[in-house]
Amino acid sequence: MTAPTTTTAPATGTPTSRFGPELRRETVAPLAPWSAVLRAGQVLTIVDVDGNQAVDFLVYDAVDTARAYSAQATLQGQDSVYLSAGSVLRSSEHDPLMTVVGTDVERHDTLGGACSKESNTLRYGHHTWSQHGCADNFLAELSRYGMGKRDQVSNVNWFMNVPVDPDGALGIVDGISAPGLSVSLRAERDVLVVVSNCPQINNPCNGFDPSRAEMIVSAGTAAAAGQEA
């Protein structure tokens, strides 16, 4: 795949975080998509700006997008259904794609999936058919890289609270995040990251009021290794 590189070299006076110089910082509006190609070693920090906002997330090997995030391989590799500090997001070949190198929230969801017109209609009624969903955001953003519906895989839901009951039932409940909390992921290889700032208004995953998210790309170990940003 040949995809546009969306990070830029830092200018003089560029802010520096614990993950190195910032290469890119953008606020994603409620309901909107976002994407970037990260070089190996760079770090993406996702900030829940206003609190209680789910951020749906896909990741692919930027060189071979068939090597995409696999929920099954990731959960098998860590023996947990939640993502937390140290979790490694893996492809179906068990290749590491990204590692959670920091999180202000105890756990993140891997099971809730992405909202869509179809799932909204099934769960909440036919009156929701016209509502925008994460599936729409993913498809719109994937199309920028020559990808389509067949390329959309299972997703991560950062900041989303989906407890698993003893009987195996899932529930989408009020989030455990708060304004300004974040999660940071290091790219273990060149990766394409695709985000949907979740538009869902029919359950508490966004507090029934979708809000902003911030994306910060930092140089991380890529700078130390002399890689181009």
Side-chain angles (χ1 to χ4, degrees), residues 13-80:
T14 296
T16 300
S17 71
R18 65 190 180 103
F19 300 115
E22 290 184 12
L23 307 178
R24 177 178 179 181
R25 178 188 286 258
E26 292 183 45
T27 298
V28 183
L31 287 64
W34 181 89
S35 64
V37 173
L38 273 69
R39 302 309 181 193
Q42 292 179 349
V43 175
L44 172 65
T45 298
I46 303 172
V47 183
D48 183 2
V49 177
D50 302 302
N52 204 23
Q53 173 63 34
V55 179
D56 289 36
F57 178 94
L58 301 174
V59 59
Y60 303 81
D61 184 317
V63 176
D64 179 5
T65 55
R67 294 181 180 268
Y69 166 75
S70 166
Q72 296 90 331
T74 298
L75 302 192
Q76 182 182 27
Q78 67 172 15
D79 197 29
S80 172

Side-chain angles (χ1 to χ4, degrees), residues 27-129:
T27 298
V28 183
L31 287 64
W34 181 89
S35 64
V37 173
L38 273 69
R39 302 309 181 193
Q42 292 179 349
V43 175
L44 172 65
T45 298
I46 303 172
V47 183
D48 183 2
V49 177
D50 302 302
N52 204 23
Q53 173 63 34
V55 179
D56 289 36
F57 178 94
L58 301 174
V59 59
Y60 303 81
D61 184 317
V63 176
D64 179 5
T65 55
R67 294 181 180 268
Y69 166 75
S70 166
Q72 296 90 331
T74 298
L75 302 192
Q76 182 182 27
Q78 67 172 15
D79 197 29
S80 172
V81 298
Y82 299 115
L83 298 178
S84 57
S87 290
V88 179
L89 278 60
R90 299 182 181 275
S91 74
S92 58
E93 302 295 325
H94 287 258
D95 300 315
L97 298 171
M98 304 189 83
T99 299
V100 180
V101 293
T103 177
D104 296 324
V105 177
E106 179 183 1
R107 66 177 191 266
H108 302 267
D109 171 62
T110 63
L111 303 177
C115 59
S116 65
K117 296 179 184 297
E118 293 79 8
S119 64
N120 281 343
T121 300
L122 180 64
R123 292 172 176 170
Y124 309 114
H126 286 281
H127 66 283
T128 66
W129 174 255

Side-chain angles (χ1 to χ4, degrees), residues 52 54 81-82 107-113 123-124 157 159-176 200 202-206 208:
N52 204 23
V81 298
Y82 299 115
R107 66 177 191 266
H108 302 267
D109 171 62
T110 63
L111 303 177
R123 292 172 176 170
Y124 309 114
N157 295 305
F159 308 112
M160 189 164 152
N161 188 15
V162 182
V164 181
D165 295 335
D167 63 359
L170 304 179
I172 298 175
V173 299
D174 285 337
I176 54 177
Q200 183 60 257
N202 300 292
N203 67 48
C205 73
N206 300 317
F208 301 101

